[in-house]
């Protein structure tokens, strides 16, 4: 059985995928197209007749796998073709065609996804937004700092820094590896100050900042939406979001920064409908707490999701 550290940093969030997928799907007329082109793995969500629309690339966090079809359908139904992109496998080993764990993921993979989406007739190539949650929010900001052609970034429970990779589900901990690479080189990262006696959020709070691991968000050209909670027990996303927002406001021009901070919400803020605040981990003998209350999380998710759609509409 995985030890508690593996459960906390690598696999418990994966159970969110199972719980979320158990919800009844929304009625939808969106078309879902499996994507297996140019080495990409994911699912494209479209509405009939779309042409030259603002598009979204959606990224999961440490749960891996393909992002929620329910959420991607909702974005498509609101006029935004959405590529739900996988970049490593979930705890079930799905989908095939992507790495088994969040280690050494080439950023060029995401560059290909951006360029592939630009070639679609449904998409305006000048209006592509990247959206991600947690490690996916970290990734969305990192991509925005490297690709000035992106029209906007939406980061739920983000990080202002690049963190290490995560061992594969069930694998023993090993020397930390980079989560991301660029041109075959590791993206600079920092690891948590792991201490099993402390709450997980404090692992990140106690980590000594490494300047090379800071995401250069001031290079992002378009508007940025940040959503975080002060009650987040996974990492201090509210502190990171404030740091990100402060750096973004040093940019020249008038690109907007929307920094939504909630008092009583979960770490899991991306998507429609109620979110998860606590989860009993099967066979582990403890309950995993993402922070916040059910009511506070529902309010925060509704507000952040609505703000995400407004950002897309305003491009």
């Amino acid at each position: 059985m995985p030890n508690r550290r593996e459960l906390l940093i690598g696999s418990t969030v994966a159970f969110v995928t199972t719980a979320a997928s158990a919800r009844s799907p929304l009625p939808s007329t969106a078309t879902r197209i499996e994507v297996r082109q140019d080495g990409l793995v994911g699912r494209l969500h479209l509405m009939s007749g779309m042409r030259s629309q603002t598009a979204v690339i959606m990224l999961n966090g440490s749960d891996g796998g393909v992002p929620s079809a329910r959420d991607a359908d909702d974005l498509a139904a609101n006029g935004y073709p959405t590529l739900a992109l996988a970049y490593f496998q979930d705890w079930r080993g799905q989908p095939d065609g992507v790495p088994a764990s969040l280690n050494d993921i080439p950023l060029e993979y995401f560059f290909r996804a951006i360029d592939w989406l630009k070639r679609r007739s449904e998409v305006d190539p000048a209006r592509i937004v990247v959206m991600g949650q947690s490690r996916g929010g970290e990734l969305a900001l990192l991509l925005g700092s490297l690709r000035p052609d992106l029209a906007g970034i939406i980061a739920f429970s983000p990080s202002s820094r690049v963190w290490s990779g995560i061992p594969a589900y069930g694998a023993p901990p090993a020397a930390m590896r980079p989560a991301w690479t660029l041109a075959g080189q590791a993206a600079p990262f920092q690891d948590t100050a792991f201490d099993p006696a402390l709450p997980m959020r404090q692992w990140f709070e106690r980590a000594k900042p490494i300047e090379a691991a800071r995401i250069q968000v001031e290079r992002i050209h378009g508007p940025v939406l940040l959503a975080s909670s002060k009650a987040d027990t996974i990492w201090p996303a509210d502190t990171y979001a404030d740091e990100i927002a402060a750096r973004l406001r040093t940019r020249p021009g008038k690109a907007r920064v929307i920094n939504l901070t909630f008092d009583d919400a979960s770490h899991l803020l991306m998507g429609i409908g109620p979110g998860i605040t606590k989860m009993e981990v099967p066979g582990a003998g403890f309950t995993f707490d993402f922070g916040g209350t059910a009511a506070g999380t529902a309010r925060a998710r509704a507000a952040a999701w609505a703000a995400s759609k407004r950002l897309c509409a305003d491009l």
Side-chain angles (χ1 to χ4, degrees):
M1 180 183 297
N3 65 29
R4 190 170 189 270
R5 180 173 190 263
E6 290 174 302
L7 284 165
L8 287 171
I9 69 172
S11 59
T12 39
V13 181
F15 290 104
V16 175
T17 305
T18 303
S21 63
R23 301 176 188 142
S24 299
L26 289 176
S28 174
T29 56
T31 298
R32 300 175 181 178
I33 302 171
E34 293 300 315
V35 175
R36 296 275 178 161
Q37 299 177 32
D38 292 350
L40 304 175
V41 178
R43 192 176 51 238
L44 183 62
H45 296 248
L46 302 167
M47 300 295 288
S48 177
M50 280 183 161
R51 190 166 187 85
S52 298
Q53 300 291 110
T54 296
V56 177
I57 297 175
M58 180 182 287
L59 304 166
N60 274 348
S62 60
D63 46 346
V66 181
S68 163
R70 173 187 172 100
D71 297 337
D73 277 352
D74 184 67
L75 290 172
N78 279 271
Y80 313 116
T82 299
L83 175 59
L85 185 65
Y87 57 99
F88 72 101
Q89 294 176 343
D90 63 21
W91 69 286
R92 297 167 297 185
Q94 296 295 323
D96 58 14
V98 292
S101 62
L102 179 51
N103 287 291
D104 304 297
I105 308 295
L107 292 171
E108 289 87 352
Y109 174 78
F110 306 99
F111 297 167
R112 287 202 308 276
I114 295 165
D115 295 335
W116 179 86
L117 201 54
K118 284 185 175 189
R119 296 192 293 269
R120 299 283 309 194
S121 63
E122 302 90 350
V123 174
D124 180 343
R127 290 188 290 156
I128 293 178
V129 174
V130 179
M131 168 192 291
Q133 173 170 262
S134 193
R135 294 305 299 265
E138 169 193 315
L139 174 58
L141 292 162
L142 182 59
L143 292 172
S145 75
L146 296 170
R147 288 289 299 244
D149 53 333
L150 290 171
I153 301 296
I154 300 171
F156 296 89
S157 303
S159 172
S160 57
R161 315 172 205 170
V162 170
W163 295 91
S164 66
I166 297 175
Y169 178 75
M176 284 295 123
R177 293 159 57 191
W180 324 111
T181 66
L182 184 61
Q185 300 298 312
F189 66 89
Q190 59 182 77
D191 192 13
T192 61
F194 172 64
D195 184 341
L198 294 175
M200 188 172 178
R201 177 173 172 133
Q202 290 187 29
W203 300 1
F204 293 92
E205 290 175 331
R206 289 160 60 93
K208 184 178 179 180
I210 297 173
E211 178 60 22
R214 181 181 64 80
I215 301 171
Q216 297 181 39
V217 295
E218 54 272 28
R219 294 183 175 179
I220 298 173
H221 282 208
V224 177
L225 169 63
L226 308 165
S228 63
S229 171
K230 294 180 180 178
D232 187 334
T233 57
I234 305 303
W235 65 14
D238 54 321
T239 301
Y240 296 152
D242 287 345
E243 179 186 343
I244 293 162
R247 290 186 177 275
L248 287 167
R249 292 187 180 111
T250 68
R251 299 178 297 174
K254 297 182 179 179
R256 289 177 300 143
V257 181
I258 305 114
N259 185 14
L260 304 178
T261 306
F262 303 97
D263 290 328
D264 190 24
S266 169
H267 177 74
L268 304 175
L269 294 177
M270 185 173 75
I272 56 175
I276 295 170
T277 59
K278 292 183 180 181
M279 182 176 301
E280 184 176 349
V281 181
F286 69 92
T287 298
F288 198 83
D289 187 350
F290 294 99
T293 64
T297 298
R299 287 191 296 268
R301 284 169 61 90
W305 198 244
S308 298
K309 290 187 279 193
R310 285 196 299 270
L311 182 147
C312 293
D314 289 345
L315 293 176

